[in-house]
Amino acid sequence: MVVTTARTRTRRPGPRGGRLRALVRESRSWPTLLMIGLCLLAGIPLTIALTPDQELTILGQHISVGARTPDLSLEGPARLVQIGNTELDIPRLQVVGPLRPQLEMGPVQRNEDAAKVFDPDTTAEATARAVDQLRTGFVNWYLLATLGVVGTALAAAALVGCARVLGILRQAKTREHVTVADVWHRCSGMIGRMALLAVTVSLVAWGACGALAYSGTMRGLAQVGSLSDLVGGARVTPAPVGPPVFGYAGAVIGDSRAARVGGPPVAEPEGDDVACERSADSLAAELSTMVPGRVRNLACPSATVAEGLRGPQQRGDVQVPAQLALLKQMQDLEFVVVAIGPNDVGWSDLITYCYGVGTCDDNLTRGEFDYRMAAFDRDYAALLQDLATLPGAPQVIVMTSYDAFPGDTDPACPDARGPVHAVGLTQDKIDLLTGRNDELNAVLRAGAEKYGFAVAEPALTLLCSAGADGLGPDLQGLADPFAFHPTAVGSLRLAATVARAVGPFDG
């Protein structure tokens, strides 16, 4: 019998299997675990913080797309940063992980591109293009940050690898001579495996961050139906002040134009008539002679929407309650006249500046005017909401801001030359002031039309031009105590314009 024995051969691992086992062993070593922790806990947050935002122009607005600086929380909201409005969290967009989107914009610019979103013919196209631009901006930012993640991973691997090499060299001092080639042969594979592990783990974690950011953002946007839903709302309407008031058909709220500063004082002042310098020939007083019923004057000089109409206003030692708060206590009103805007946008500052410098059409004042217009737009919207919910739903008439100078002003006109030592107004400056007044009036009209309110557009006899009826100027000039404010004749014309806008009612 022939017995054949088969010798069992030991199968040696192939090159691929050996590299895989070495990689697994490397992933379990404490230096590599330290490196991975460094990549995850420091590398990714550092990359998010240092990756520059992507600069975009969307609908004529300058917008920066990026991510907010990570903090120690596991979950947090996206953020909107608006110049002049600090930082605004977007509570609807809750994101798990360190990657939370951030948009920075402002001040809001009014231009042809921005107007496209309000045009029914171009709204859909403009909105889709804006969304596509935002998406592209985020993707570009994310790809740029991906390169940063890879870079920080390699840097972490190099740092820990160098530390390990130094440790090996220190141990080699106690042994026989070791060459640089020996150290490199021993450490090159180790460093390569560390770098591979660092990049792989970092990219997997970064991909998870991106997926969490995307899912959190899309989940939040699915619940958003308006801008208020997105950023939250904080509108608080003024509470009524004082006892109920009867016996008035209408009321006037607004600024010094409606109070008619510089006119004869009220014969029997009441309330804040003295503090607000209300005249006996104010818009409200003249209007009372043109429509059935009495009209109460609540206007006050220097009033803005925020400080005067919707909030209290300080006049010397007297704090005047919010005009809207007093208005809410007026019973059975038929109409309300609103004269507001120039103080909100710093009109007197702009006029003074134009008188004093050679040219006032510079980028600094343009940006300041745009910023103030954006703030007024927001405050005006809140005021309109308040007026739309007044008890009894009285008719609301919004008065636009009148111009002061004609388009062909004579430079020799004293009101155009200005005070002594002033540069004065040129035709270019007057055109600039007229154009910006037109911008203010466009906002006033648009807001009124949105709520179905009437608009009164007074056309007064301008400075530096003679009136055709011989009644005298409609506006006070620089030689008068309150330049650019209506005279008694001007107040009468304002009232006539408003009276034509007041609808029929039972007086």
Side-chain angles (χ1 to χ4, degrees), residues 187-207:
C187 297
S188 59
M190 173 193 68
I191 294 176
R193 289 188 292 272
M194 291 178 62
L196 178 60
L197 287 169
V199 172
T200 301
V201 171
S202 295
L203 287 178
V204 170
W206 183 240

mmCIF file with all atom_site columns, all heavy atoms in Angstrom, residues 187-207:
data_model
loop_
_atom_site.group_PDB
_atom_site.id
_atom_site.type_symbol
_atom_site.label_atom_id
_atom_site.label_alt_id
_atom_site.label_comp_id
_atom_site.label_asym_id
_atom_site.label_entity_id
_atom_site.label_seq_id
_atom_site.pdbx_PDB_ins_code
_atom_site.Cartn_x
_atom_site.Cartn_y
_atom_site.Cartn_z
_atom_site.occupancy
_atom_site.B_iso_or_equiv
_atom_site.pdbx_formal_charge
_atom_site.auth_seq_id
_atom_site.auth_comp_id
_atom_site.auth_asym_id
_atom_site.auth_atom_id
_atom_site.pdbx_PDB_model_num
ATOM 1   N N   . CYS A 1 187 ? 8.928   54.328 8.994  1.00 0.00 ? 187 CYS A N   1
ATOM 2   C CA  . CYS A 1 187 ? 7.866   55.288 9.308  1.00 0.00 ? 187 CYS A CA  1
ATOM 3   C C   . CYS A 1 187 ? 7.038   55.721 8.095  1.00 0.00 ? 187 CYS A C   1
ATOM 4   O O   . CYS A 1 187 ? 5.930   56.241 8.273  1.00 0.00 ? 187 CYS A O   1
ATOM 5   C CB  . CYS A 1 187 ? 8.453   56.539 9.958  1.00 0.00 ? 187 CYS A CB  1
ATOM 6   S SG  . CYS A 1 187 ? 9.256   56.212 11.552 1.00 0.00 ? 187 CYS A SG  1
ATOM 7   N N   . SER A 1 188 ? 7.564   55.538 6.883  1.00 0.00 ? 188 SER A N   1
ATOM 8   C CA  . SER A 1 188 ? 6.831   56.048 5.721  1.00 0.00 ? 188 SER A CA  1
ATOM 9   C C   . SER A 1 188 ? 5.482   55.376 5.571  1.00 0.00 ? 188 SER A C   1
ATOM 10  O O   . SER A 1 188 ? 4.463   56.033 5.310  1.00 0.00 ? 188 SER A O   1
ATOM 11  C CB  . SER A 1 188 ? 7.667   55.863 4.452  1.00 0.00 ? 188 SER A CB  1
ATOM 12  O OG  . SER A 1 188 ? 7.964   54.466 4.259  1.00 0.00 ? 188 SER A OG  1
ATOM 13  N N   . GLY A 1 189 ? 5.459   54.080 5.716  1.00 0.00 ? 189 GLY A N   1
ATOM 14  C CA  . GLY A 1 189 ? 4.190   53.366 5.615  1.00 0.00 ? 189 GLY A CA  1
ATOM 15  C C   . GLY A 1 189 ? 3.232   53.784 6.714  1.00 0.00 ? 189 GLY A C   1
ATOM 16  O O   . GLY A 1 189 ? 2.028   53.963 6.471  1.00 0.00 ? 189 GLY A O   1
ATOM 17  N N   . MET A 1 190 ? 3.745   53.958 7.918  1.00 0.00 ? 190 MET A N   1
ATOM 18  C CA  . MET A 1 190 ? 2.906   54.370 9.045  1.00 0.00 ? 190 MET A CA  1
ATOM 19  C C   . MET A 1 190 ? 2.297   55.752 8.789  1.00 0.00 ? 190 MET A C   1
ATOM 20  O O   . MET A 1 190 ? 1.089   55.959 8.981  1.00 0.00 ? 190 MET A O   1
ATOM 21  C CB  . MET A 1 190 ? 3.758   54.403 10.315 1.00 0.00 ? 190 MET A CB  1
ATOM 22  C CG  . MET A 1 190 ? 3.056   54.985 11.527 1.00 0.00 ? 190 MET A CG  1
ATOM 23  S SD  . MET A 1 190 ? 4.240   55.321 12.848 1.00 0.00 ? 190 MET A SD  1
ATOM 24  C CE  . MET A 1 190 ? 5.193   56.657 12.135 1.00 0.00 ? 190 MET A CE  1
ATOM 25  N N   . ILE A 1 191 ? 3.112   56.699 8.324  1.00 0.00 ? 191 ILE A N   1
ATOM 26  C CA  . ILE A 1 191 ? 2.614   58.046 8.078  1.00 0.00 ? 191 ILE A CA  1
ATOM 27  C C   . ILE A 1 191 ? 1.603   58.043 6.939  1.00 0.00 ? 191 ILE A C   1
ATOM 28  O O   . ILE A 1 191 ? 0.579   58.739 6.984  1.00 0.00 ? 191 ILE A O   1
ATOM 29  C CB  . ILE A 1 191 ? 3.783   58.998 7.782  1.00 0.00 ? 191 ILE A CB  1
ATOM 30  C CG1 . ILE A 1 191 ? 4.666   59.148 9.023  1.00 0.00 ? 191 ILE A CG1 1
ATOM 31  C CG2 . ILE A 1 191 ? 3.276   60.351 7.327  1.00 0.00 ? 191 ILE A CG2 1
ATOM 32  C CD1 . ILE A 1 191 ? 5.894   59.991 8.797  1.00 0.00 ? 191 ILE A CD1 1
ATOM 33  N N   . GLY A 1 192 ? 1.866   57.239 5.910  1.00 0.00 ? 192 GLY A N   1
ATOM 34  C CA  . GLY A 1 192 ? 0.916   57.142 4.797  1.00 0.00 ? 192 GLY A CA  1
ATOM 35  C C   . GLY A 1 192 ? -0.432  56.600 5.256  1.00 0.00 ? 192 GLY A C   1
ATOM 36  O O   . GLY A 1 192 ? -1.489  57.092 4.838  1.00 0.00 ? 192 GLY A O   1
ATOM 37  N N   . ARG A 1 193 ? -0.395  55.562 6.109  1.00 0.00 ? 193 ARG A N   1
ATOM 38  C CA  . ARG A 1 193 ? -1.652  55.007 6.610  1.00 0.00 ? 193 ARG A CA  1
ATOM 39  C C   . ARG A 1 193 ? -2.379  56.014 7.497  1.00 0.00 ? 193 ARG A C   1
ATOM 40  O O   . ARG A 1 193 ? -3.614  56.128 7.452  1.00 0.00 ? 193 ARG A O   1
ATOM 41  C CB  . ARG A 1 193 ? -1.373  53.717 7.385  1.00 0.00 ? 193 ARG A CB  1
ATOM 42  C CG  . ARG A 1 193 ? -0.946  52.548 6.516  1.00 0.00 ? 193 ARG A CG  1
ATOM 43  C CD  . ARG A 1 193 ? -0.871  51.260 7.302  1.00 0.00 ? 193 ARG A CD  1
ATOM 44  N NE  . ARG A 1 193 ? 0.215   51.267 8.279  1.00 0.00 ? 193 ARG A NE  1
ATOM 45  C CZ  . ARG A 1 193 ? 1.470   50.881 8.021  1.00 0.00 ? 193 ARG A CZ  1
ATOM 46  N NH1 . ARG A 1 193 ? 1.801   50.476 6.798  1.00 0.00 ? 193 ARG A NH1 1
ATOM 47  N NH2 . ARG A 1 193 ? 2.389   50.900 8.960  1.00 0.00 ? 193 ARG A NH2 1
ATOM 48  N N   . MET A 1 194 ? -1.642  56.751 8.304  1.00 0.00 ? 194 MET A N   1
ATOM 49  C CA  . MET A 1 194 ? -2.267  57.782 9.131  1.00 0.00 ? 194 MET A CA  1
ATOM 50  C C   . MET A 1 194 ? -2.935  58.857 8.268  1.00 0.00 ? 194 MET A C   1
ATOM 51  O O   . MET A 1 194 ? -4.063  59.288 8.546  1.00 0.00 ? 194 MET A O   1
ATOM 52  C CB  . MET A 1 194 ? -1.225  58.428 10.052 1.00 0.00 ? 194 MET A CB  1
ATOM 53  C CG  . MET A 1 194 ? -0.709  57.523 11.157 1.00 0.00 ? 194 MET A CG  1
ATOM 54  S SD  . MET A 1 194 ? 0.558   58.330 12.153 1.00 0.00 ? 194 MET A SD  1
ATOM 55  C CE  . MET A 1 194 ? -0.368  59.695 12.833 1.00 0.00 ? 194 MET A CE  1
ATOM 56  N N   . ALA A 1 195 ? -2.233  59.293 7.207  1.00 0.00 ? 195 ALA A N   1
ATOM 57  C CA  . ALA A 1 195 ? -2.807  60.312 6.332  1.00 0.00 ? 195 ALA A CA  1
ATOM 58  C C   . ALA A 1 195 ? -4.067  59.799 5.652  1.00 0.00 ? 195 ALA A C   1
ATOM 59  O O   . ALA A 1 195 ? -5.075  60.520 5.540  1.00 0.00 ? 195 ALA A O   1
ATOM 60  C CB  . ALA A 1 195 ? -1.780  60.752 5.290  1.00 0.00 ? 195 ALA A CB  1
ATOM 61  N N   . LEU A 1 196 ? -4.037  58.536 5.203  1.00 0.00 ? 196 LEU A N   1
ATOM 62  C CA  . LEU A 1 196 ? -5.206  57.958 4.557  1.00 0.00 ? 196 LEU A CA  1
ATOM 63  C C   . LEU A 1 196 ? -6.385  57.893 5.520  1.00 0.00 ? 196 LEU A C   1
ATOM 64  O O   . LEU A 1 196 ? -7.522  58.247 5.166  1.00 0.00 ? 196 LEU A O   1
ATOM 65  C CB  . LEU A 1 196 ? -4.872  56.564 4.038  1.00 0.00 ? 196 LEU A CB  1
ATOM 66  C CG  . LEU A 1 196 ? -6.033  55.794 3.363  1.00 0.00 ? 196 LEU A CG  1
ATOM 67  C CD1 . LEU A 1 196 ? -6.550  56.568 2.155  1.00 0.00 ? 196 LEU A CD1 1
ATOM 68  C CD2 . LEU A 1 196 ? -5.566  54.388 2.957  1.00 0.00 ? 196 LEU A CD2 1
ATOM 69  N N   . LEU A 1 197 ? -6.121  57.461 6.759  1.00 0.00 ? 197 LEU A N   1
ATOM 70  C CA  . LEU A 1 197 ? -7.183  57.389 7.754  1.00 0.00 ? 197 LEU A CA  1
ATOM 71  C C   . LEU A 1 197 ? -7.715  58.781 8.097  1.00 0.00 ? 197 LEU A C   1
ATOM 72  O O   . LEU A 1 197 ? -8.933  58.980 8.242  1.00 0.00 ? 197 LEU A O   1
ATOM 73  C CB  . LEU A 1 197 ? -6.666  56.697 9.020  1.00 0.00 ? 197 LEU A CB  1
ATOM 74  C CG  . LEU A 1 197 ? -6.464  55.179 8.916  1.00 0.00 ? 197 LEU A CG  1
ATOM 75  C CD1 . LEU A 1 197 ? -5.708  54.670 10.125 1.00 0.00 ? 197 LEU A CD1 1
ATOM 76  C CD2 . LEU A 1 197 ? -7.822  54.480 8.809  1.00 0.00 ? 197 LEU A CD2 1
ATOM 77  N N   . ALA A 1 198 ? -6.820  59.752 8.244  1.00 0.00 ? 198 ALA A N   1
ATOM 78  C CA  . ALA A 1 198 ? -7.243  61.103 8.591  1.00 0.00 ? 198 ALA A CA  1
ATOM 79  C C   . ALA A 1 198 ? -8.143  61.696 7.507  1.00 0.00 ? 198 ALA A C   1
ATOM 80  O O   . ALA A 1 198 ? -9.206  62.263 7.798  1.00 0.00 ? 198 ALA A O   1
ATOM 81  C CB  . ALA A 1 198 ? -6.029  61.998 8.810  1.00 0.00 ? 198 ALA A CB  1
ATOM 82  N N   . VAL A 1 199 ? -7.749  61.574 6.232  1.00 0.00 ? 199 VAL A N   1
ATOM 83  C CA  . VAL A 1 199 ? -8.538  62.121 5.134  1.00 0.00 ? 199 VAL A CA  1
ATOM 84  C C   . VAL A 1 199 ? -9.871  61.393 5.001  1.00 0.00 ? 199 VAL A C   1
ATOM 85  O O   . VAL A 1 199 ? -10.929 62.015 4.830  1.00 0.00 ? 199 VAL A O   1
ATOM 86  C CB  . VAL A 1 199 ? -7.740  62.047 3.821  1.00 0.00 ? 199 VAL A CB  1
ATOM 87  C CG1 . VAL A 1 199 ? -8.622  62.433 2.635  1.00 0.00 ? 199 VAL A CG1 1
ATOM 88  C CG2 . VAL A 1 199 ? -6.521  62.961 3.883  1.00 0.00 ? 199 VAL A CG2 1
ATOM 89  N N   . THR A 1 200 ? -9.833  60.043 5.105  1.00 0.00 ? 200 THR A N   1
ATOM 90  C CA  . THR A 1 200 ? -11.069 59.263 4.941  1.00 0.00 ? 200 THR A CA  1
ATOM 91  C C   . THR A 1 200 ? -12.079 59.596 6.028  1.00 0.00 ? 200 THR A C   1
ATOM 92  O O   . THR A 1 200 ? -13.248 59.879 5.751  1.00 0.00 ? 200 THR A O   1
ATOM 93  C CB  . THR A 1 200 ? -10.749 57.765 4.971  1.00 0.00 ? 200 THR A CB  1
ATOM 94  O OG1 . THR A 1 200 ? -9.828  57.454 3.914  1.00 0.00 ? 200 THR A OG1 1
ATOM 95  C CG2 . THR A 1 200 ? -12.020 56.948 4.783  1.00 0.00 ? 200 THR A CG2 1
ATOM 96  N N   . VAL A 1 201 ? -11.641 59.564 7.283  1.00 0.00 ? 201 VAL A N   1
ATOM 97  C CA  . VAL A 1 201 ? -12.556 59.842 8.385  1.00 0.00 ? 201 VAL A CA  1
ATOM 98  C C   . VAL A 1 201 ? -13.075 61.276 8.305  1.00 0.00 ? 201 VAL A C   1
ATOM 99  O O   . VAL A 1 201 ? -14.271 61.536 8.515  1.00 0.00 ? 201 VAL A O   1
ATOM 100 C CB  . VAL A 1 201 ? -11.859 59.585 9.737  1.00 0.00 ? 201 VAL A CB  1
ATOM 101 C CG1 . VAL A 1 201 ? -12.727 60.074 10.890 1.00 0.00 ? 201 VAL A CG1 1
ATOM 102 C CG2 . VAL A 1 201 ? -11.554 58.110 9.910  1.00 0.00 ? 201 VAL A CG2 1
ATOM 103 N N   . SER A 1 202 ? -12.220 62.228 7.969  1.00 0.00 ? 202 SER A N   1
ATOM 104 C CA  . SER A 1 202 ? -12.635 63.626 7.882  1.00 0.00 ? 202 SER A CA  1
ATOM 105 C C   . SER A 1 202 ? -13.665 63.832 6.773  1.00 0.00 ? 202 SER A C   1
ATOM 106 O O   . SER A 1 202 ? -14.667 64.541 6.960  1.00 0.00 ? 202 SER A O   1
ATOM 107 C CB  . SER A 1 202 ? -11.429 64.529 7.645  1.00 0.00 ? 202 SER A CB  1
ATOM 108 O OG  . SER A 1 202 ? -10.548 64.497 8.745  1.00 0.00 ? 202 SER A OG  1
ATOM 109 N N   . LEU A 1 203 ? -13.447 63.210 5.609  1.00 0.00 ? 203 LEU A N   1
ATOM 110 C CA  . LEU A 1 203 ? -14.389 63.372 4.505  1.00 0.00 ? 203 LEU A CA  1
ATOM 111 C C   . LEU A 1 203 ? -15.730 62.713 4.815  1.00 0.00 ? 203 LEU A C   1
ATOM 112 O O   . LEU A 1 203 ? -16.794 63.246 4.457  1.00 0.00 ? 203 LEU A O   1
ATOM 113 C CB  . LEU A 1 203 ? -13.795 62.794 3.222  1.00 0.00 ? 203 LEU A CB  1
ATOM 114 C CG  . LEU A 1 203 ? -12.665 63.608 2.579  1.00 0.00 ? 203 LEU A CG  1
ATOM 115 C CD1 . LEU A 1 203 ? -12.137 62.907 1.340  1.00 0.00 ? 203 LEU A CD1 1
ATOM 116 C CD2 . LEU A 1 203 ? -13.145 65.016 2.229  1.00 0.00 ? 203 LEU A CD2 1
ATOM 117 N N   . VAL A 1 204 ? -15.689 61.532 5.478  1.00 0.00 ? 204 VAL A N   1
ATOM 118 C CA  . VAL A 1 204 ? -16.952 60.888 5.855  1.00 0.00 ? 204 VAL A CA  1
ATOM 119 C C   . VAL A 1 204 ? -17.720 61.780 6.838  1.00 0.00 ? 204 VAL A C   1
ATOM 120 O O   . VAL A 1 204 ? -18.928 61.989 6.703  1.00 0.00 ? 204 VAL A O   1
ATOM 121 C CB  . VAL A 1 204 ? -16.685 59.493 6.453  1.00 0.00 ? 204 VAL A CB  1
ATOM 122 C CG1 . VAL A 1 204 ? -17.962 58.927 7.077  1.00 0.00 ? 204 VAL A CG1 1
ATOM 123 C CG2 . VAL A 1 204 ? -16.165 58.551 5.388  1.00 0.00 ? 204 VAL A CG2 1
ATOM 124 N N   . ALA A 1 205 ? -17.007 62.314 7.831  1.00 0.00 ? 205 ALA A N   1
ATOM 125 C CA  . ALA A 1 205 ? -17.659 63.183 8.809  1.00 0.00 ? 205 ALA A CA  1
ATOM 126 C C   . ALA A 1 205 ? -18.154 64.469 8.143  1.00 0.00 ? 205 ALA A C   1
ATOM 127 O O   . ALA A 1 205 ? -19.258 64.959 8.450  1.00 0.00 ? 205 ALA A O   1
ATOM 128 C CB  . ALA A 1 205 ? -16.693 63.522 9.939  1.00 0.00 ? 205 ALA A CB  1
ATOM 129 N N   . TRP A 1 206 ? -17.380 65.030 7.228  1.00 0.00 ? 206 TRP A N   1
ATOM 130 C CA  . TRP A 1 206 ? -17.778 66.251 6.537  1.00 0.00 ? 206 TRP A CA  1
ATOM 131 C C   . TRP A 1 206 ? -18.997 65.994 5.649  1.00 0.00 ? 206 TRP A C   1
ATOM 132 O O   . TRP A 1 206 ? -19.906 66.827 5.561  1.00 0.00 ? 206 TRP A O   1
ATOM 133 C CB  . TRP A 1 206 ? -16.615 66.771 5.710  1.00 0.00 ? 206 TRP A CB  1
ATOM 134 C CG  . TRP A 1 206 ? -16.862 68.066 5.004  1.00 0.00 ? 206 TRP A CG  1
ATOM 135 C CD1 . TRP A 1 206 ? -16.813 68.290 3.669  1.00 0.00 ? 206 TRP A CD1 1
ATOM 136 C CD2 . TRP A 1 206 ? -17.216 69.315 5.592  1.00 0.00 ? 206 TRP A CD2 1
ATOM 137 N NE1 . TRP A 1 206 ? -17.094 69.596 3.382  1.00 0.00 ? 206 TRP A NE1 1
ATOM 138 C CE2 . TRP A 1 206 ? -17.340 70.259 4.548  1.00 0.00 ? 206 TRP A CE2 1
ATOM 139 C CE3 . TRP A 1 206 ? -17.416 69.727 6.897  1.00 0.00 ? 206 TRP A CE3 1
ATOM 140 C CZ2 . TRP A 1 206 ? -17.683 71.579 4.770  1.00 0.00 ? 206 TRP A CZ2 1
ATOM 141 C CZ3 . TRP A 1 206 ? -17.756 71.049 7.130  1.00 0.00 ? 206 TRP A CZ3 1
ATOM 142 C CH2 . TRP A 1 206 ? -17.889 71.955 6.079  1.00 0.00 ? 206 TRP A CH2 1
ATOM 143 N N   . GLY A 1 207 ? -19.029 64.832 5.005  1.00 0.00 ? 207 GLY A N   1
ATOM 144 C CA  . GLY A 1 207 ? -20.203 64.475 4.222  1.00 0.00 ? 207 GLY A CA  1
ATOM 145 C C   . GLY A 1 207 ? -21.438 64.358 5.093  1.00 0.00 ? 207 GLY A C   1
ATOM 146 O O   . GLY A 1 207 ? -22.545 64.780 4.703  1.00 0.00 ? 207 GLY A O   1
#
